[in-house]
Amino acid sequence: MQKIDPQEIEIIIQDIKQAVNDADWVTASELLNLLRPQDQADVFEEITPEDQSKLIPSMDIENAADLIEELGDEAAARLANELNVDQLAEILDYMEPDEAADLLGDMSDEAADQALSEMEESDEVRLLLEYGDESAGGLMTSAEVLLQENMTVQDAIDHLRQTTPDSETIYYLFVTNKSQKLTGIVSLRQLVIESPSKRIGDIMTRDVISVNVHTDQEEAARLLARYDLLALPVVDDENHFLGVITHDDVLEIVEEEATEDIYRLGGVPQAQPSDQRAWFAIRSRLPWLVLNLITAMASATVLALFEGTIAQVAVLAAFFPIVAGVSGSAGTQTLTVIVRGLALGELKTKSNIKILLREMSVGLMNGIVIGIMVAIIALVWKEQAMLGLVVGTASFLTLICAAIAGFLVPVGIQKMNIDPALGSPILVTTITDSLGYLIYLGLASILIAQLI
Amino acid sequence: MQKIDPQEIEIIIQDIKQAVNDADWVTASELLNLLRPQDQADVFEEITPEDQSKLIPSMDIENAADLIEELGDEAAARLANELNVDQLAEILDYMEPDEAADLLGDMSDEAADQALSEMEESDEVRLLLEYGDESAGGLMTSAEVLLQENMTVQDAIDHLRQTTPDSETIYYLFVTNKSQKLTGIVSLRQLVIESPSKRIGDIMTRDVISVNVHTDQEEAARLLARYDLLALPVVDDENHFLGVITHDDVLEIVEEEATEDIYRLGGVPQAQPSDQRAWFAIRSRLPWLVLNLITAMASATVLALFEGTIAQVAVLAAFFPIVAGVSGSAGTQTLTVIVRGLALGELKTKSNIKILLREMSVGLMNGIVIGIMVAIIALVWKEQAMLGLVVGTASFLTLICAAIAGFLVPVGIQKMNIDPALGSPILVTTITDSLGYLIYLGLASILIAQLI
């Protein structure tokens, strides 16, 4: 492959689309071959699954396998459903086993079974399918080369030259003993640098960071990231070497995790591709809105309690968005900091009291400033000193409540082993809204004689 | 280093804290040596900067350098300020140049200058400091080994054995021509597998993905992630090789970026450690609350317009949280999906109309369901058919507006080259709130005769 600059890529992409429009699959696949798999995948996601399935048979099988590995999960499954079972099985044989297992897992059981039975080398993929999609086992791939302790460095290099593994997993080489238990790790760098006559057992690192096959994939990703590893070995309960998780999987997981948190904080409980279909979007978002509707009843009930007060002093209503809005924002600020801190592991349970005190003092200080500003606005706008006092005091008190709720809610949810990103925003908003109205209208009712 | 299991780590950490409490720095540093740098950093962040600065002199310089590289930016700068300039300079000499430059960049100019002048090898660090902290140049590190096209594979391996580079950057080896221009790349895997007599120029890949030294670090990270690279070469405008960005930097950037988005969406404009001090938290959050207060005035003005209506039909107020709250949530859902899609590059400008139409149909469908539910609630709770009709219709219309605003606001902000995560939530909420009140109370005013 020659060096291609971005402008050239754009021109090639246009030409491919033209060829697809003309149903000239041979030209299209030749042009696709000029691009890297990641860029091929981008082009693919812009054409229909029908056109994709017509283009695939013109492509080299290996190239097609590389491309499908780079497609999004949903897009890959959609395309796989369009292909005939022979083609699909052949492509699956060329894919990395962990990627093949992922794809099969996203297909219907029936279609996946058919494809598996047509595959030539389905054993490893079947094994991976048995581990959960979200576990270390579902993420691992097999190591093409394993070393033994009594090999010399030269033996190891010769072994590598013979097997010529094509994957980049060989930068870390795992050493096993006779019963296939993981005993050490040697980097390719060491093999090159160390004297050829040394024994692997003498140069290997015995302090191997490994992960159990049933560990959650997020935890595995965290380990890789934390210790800057290129590869993390996966073992069973008896420390038998099973496979390896590579660095490129980690980035995907970290990004997926962050996306999930952002979605959940934004009231979209299920992370989804942003090009999702309308029907999917409705189904995933509507239940959350209904939940919102139900929790909004709390505030509605508070307001209904004070109907009499509102009827007497309708000007009170003008300040609802200020009292509820600003404290809602303050609560959201606190919960955002807490939820992210918990997700990144920055917040330890022991330092909780310190952080709660900090949030309370933030609420207190911001409450004083905002309270005074709100009071001045009321005074200038409505020319009523007592109204200013009521609105200002209510804002002040609600901001302190917001800080406490913004801390206690996510920490409490986390203690129940639920993702705090999931329920915190809706709960904090419900609390700040209804408490805000209660404090504000409660104060107003007490001082009603001065307000009329 | 022997293999250590998590329980043992916990015990060692307790012992270290005990030794620190007893001011027994020698024991503490010996125990620290048993841990990996990442775990050492965790322990360090739990003791005071004063104790840290007393512990550092008892530690091996190389170990101290590794540890400081793993500390958070703020913690590292705080510790560096506590150390005397000789110690600091010695440690900086042992640190990776890009990490040393980062640390110096976080210190006061005066302290950084002093430390630089005491360093033995400050040239490379000075060079890195000249590039922006957020640029590819600020992130890169120098390659310890460069190859030439006319070397053989055996020459290259011999060269590696002589220089024995200790960093893992040698998995990708960069090939330059006589004028130091980058011409190709060879992986260590190729060196091991290919026949020793082959010419590097014949086996190298000429299609090198590289990045300009002034490119933003986020873009560099995206390239590394997109093409699953272990290392990305950094070049100047004439394609001279300058250094390399490695895979471990990328994960940090992706995580930082996600954290920034989460903070901004949560109304905390400046990403910050979750263990920030109260004063820092107040300064960063208060301006945002004031902005919220100002935008809340829009809704307050709408409500003030309808004071007469509210005074006549105070029951209307009970439904404020429902009309405004649910549409606000719907707007947040849409903007969350759009903002994240834009950040991940999933949303292309061309497909905008399609996504807008999807969001509008989601708003329409959810609007119908929520509208009917709200109407029924009003009917059952307040036993007023006309009120139900007004509240239901208002909710329906506001949800459609929320969907449109949730799409248009982030896309518009992005078009102005501002991060859509920054202003979208506040703007969308302002729009949904004030439009919600306007539609609801507008309808109520028109039908006031039927409502009293």
Side-chain angles (χ1 to χ4, degrees), chain A residues 63-193:
Chain A
N63 196 349
D66 286 347
L67 186 162
I68 290 175
E69 286 182 3
E70 294 298 331
L71 288 177
D73 288 351
E74 219 189 325
R78 230 180 288 150
L79 170 58
N81 283 329
E82 293 283 331
L83 294 174
N84 77 48
V85 67
D86 295 340
Q87 281 172 344
L88 179 60
E90 218 178 333
I91 291 171
L92 285 166
D93 271 324
Y94 269 96
M95 285 172 72
E96 298 279 336
D98 61 329
E99 301 275 355
D102 277 355
L103 177 54
L104 287 165
D106 289 334
M107 294 170 59
S108 71
D109 286 350
E110 197 194 355
D113 282 343
Q114 277 194 346
L116 270 168
S117 64
E118 291 294 324
M119 281 177 71
E120 280 177 21
E121 295 167 41
S122 63
D123 291 357
E124 195 179 338
V125 174
R126 279 181 205 274
L127 195 69
L128 290 176
L129 277 170
E130 276 174 34
Y131 300 112
D133 196 22
E134 308 263 297
S135 76
L139 202 65
M140 71 184 181
T141 190
S142 62
E144 294 180 63
V145 178
L146 283 179
L147 303 181
Q148 305 294 327
E149 289 186 32
N150 53 6
M151 280 180 169
T152 65
V153 168
Q154 189 60 51
D155 289 342
I157 290 179
D158 290 344
H159 184 49
L160 280 174
R161 287 212 173 122
Q162 271 160 31
T163 45
T164 61
D166 68 346
S167 84
E168 307 284 311
T169 54
I170 66 163
Y171 293 124
Y172 282 178
L173 296 156
F174 298 103
V175 187
T176 52
N177 64 14
K178 275 170 201 151
S179 51
Q180 298 298 319
K181 289 197 183 177
L182 179 68
T183 57
I185 184 172
V186 170
S187 71
L188 188 61
R189 183 189 138 265
Q190 283 176 287
L191 282 192
V192 173
I193 286 170

Side-chain angles (χ1 to χ4, degrees), chain A residues 202-262:
Chain A
D202 295 331
I203 65 164
M204 73 182 191
T205 308
R206 289 176 191 275
D207 173 33
V208 184
I209 299 171
S210 63
V211 77
N212 185 282
V213 67
H214 298 295
T215 307
D216 187 83
Q217 62 170 5
E218 284 183 18
E219 209 183 310
R222 290 252 153 255
L223 268 177
L224 259 153
R226 180 172 171 82
Y227 296 110
D228 288 341
L229 307 174
L230 291 176
L232 180 67
V234 180
V235 295
D236 65 13
D237 295 338
E238 277 89 44
N239 203 34
H240 290 111
F241 178 86
L242 295 178
V244 52
I245 298 176
T246 51
H247 73 104
D248 48 317
D249 292 323
V250 177
L251 205 64
E252 237 167 79
I253 292 171
V254 168
E255 204 145 66
E256 261 176 43
E257 240 184 290
T259 302
E260 193 182 76
D261 272 8
I262 290 175

Side-chain angles (χ1 to χ4, degrees), chain A residues 1-4 36 38-39 42 46 160-161 164-168 170-172 187-189 192-194 207-209 222 225-230 247-248 251 254-255 258-259 262-263 265-268 274-278 281-282 285-286 288-290 292-293 296-297 299-300 303-304 307 310-311 314-315 317-318 320-322 326 329-330 332-334 336-337 340-341 344 346-347 350 355 358-359 361-362 365-366 369-370 373-374 377 381-382 399, chain B residues 1-4 36 38-39 42 46 160-161 164-167 170-171 187-189 192-194 206-209 222 225-230 247-248 251 254-255 258-259 262-263 265-268 274-278 281-282 285-286 288-290 292-293 296-297 299-300 303-304 307 310-311 314-315 317-318 320-322 326 329-330 332-334 336-337 340-341 344 346-347 350 355 358-359 361-362 365-366 369-370 373-374 377 381-382 399:
Chain A
M1 206 193 292
Q2 285 299 303
K3 190 174 166 81
I4 297 171
R36 298 189 182 81
Q38 293 86 351
D39 297 320
D42 276 4
E46 288 184 38
L160 280 174
R161 287 212 173 122
T164 61
D166 68 346
S167 84
E168 307 284 311
I170 66 163
Y171 293 124
Y172 282 178
S187 71
L188 188 61
R189 183 189 138 265
V192 173
I193 286 170
E194 297 279 3
D207 173 33
V208 184
I209 299 171
R222 290 252 153 255
R226 180 172 171 82
Y227 296 110
D228 288 341
L229 307 174
L230 291 176
H247 73 104
D248 48 317
L251 205 64
V254 168
E255 204 145 66
T259 302
I262 290 175
Y263 270 71
L265 285 170
V268 188
S274 53
D275 64 346
Q276 60 190 302
R277 311 235 163 141
I282 293 167
R285 297 191 211 162
L286 185 56
W288 206 249
L289 291 181
V290 172
N292 246 283
L293 177 56
M297 290 301 296
S299 308
L303 286 174
E307 254 169 50
I310 296 168
V315 67
F320 286 170
I322 294 177
V326 179
S329 300
T332 303
Q333 287 182 333
T334 302
T336 300
V337 173
R340 189 62 182 158
L344 293 178
E346 285 174 0
L347 286 189
K350 353 180 181 176
I355 306 241
R358 181 196 70 199
E359 287 306 320
S361 54
V362 172
M365 276 303 300
N366 287 349
V369 177
I370 295 288
M373 289 182 72
V374 172
I377 289 172
W381 187 26
K382 298 291 174 185
L399 262 134
Chain B
M1 202 192 296
Q2 283 300 303
K3 190 174 165 80
I4 298 170
R36 298 191 182 82
Q38 292 87 351
D39 296 321
D42 275 4
E46 288 184 39
L160 280 174
R161 288 212 172 123
T164 60
D166 67 346
S167 83
I170 66 161
Y171 292 123
S187 72
L188 188 62
R189 182 189 139 266
V192 172
I193 287 171
E194 296 279 0
R206 289 175 190 275
D207 174 33
V208 185
I209 299 172
R222 291 251 153 253
R226 179 173 172 80
Y227 296 109
D228 287 342
L229 307 174
L230 290 177
H247 74 106
D248 48 319
L251 206 64
V254 168
E255 204 145 68
T259 302
I262 289 175
Y263 271 71
L265 285 171
V268 188
S274 53
D275 64 344
Q276 59 190 308
R277 312 234 161 141
I282 292 165
R285 297 190 211 164
L286 185 56
W288 206 247
L289 291 181
V290 173
N292 247 284
L293 178 56
M297 290 301 295
S299 309
L303 287 174
E307 254 170 49
I310 297 169
V315 66
F320 287 170
I322 293 176
V326 179
S329 301
T332 304
Q333 287 181 332
T334 302
T336 300
V337 173
R340 190 62 182 158
L344 293 178
E346 285 174 359
L347 286 188
K350 350 179 183 176
I355 306 242
R358 180 196 70 199
E359 287 307 322
S361 53
V362 172
M365 275 304 299
N366 286 350
V369 177
I370 295 290
M373 290 182 71
V374 173
I377 289 171
W381 189 23
K382 298 292 174 184
L399 260 125

Side-chain angles (χ1 to χ4, degrees), chain A residues 262-263 266 268 285, chain B residues 261 264-266 327-342 347 359 402-411 413 420-430 432:
Chain A
I262 290 175
Y263 270 71
V268 188
R285 297 191 211 162
Chain B
D261 272 7
R264 288 179 167 181
L265 285 171
S327 66
S329 301
T332 304
Q333 287 181 332
T334 302
L335 83 87
T336 300
V337 173
I338 302 298
V339 166
R340 190 62 182 158
L342 290 170
L347 286 188
E359 287 307 322
I404 298 173
F407 173 85
L408 287 182
V409 167
V411 169
I413 293 180
L422 196 55
S424 295
I426 200 170
L427 227 75
V428 169
T429 312
T430 306
T432 54

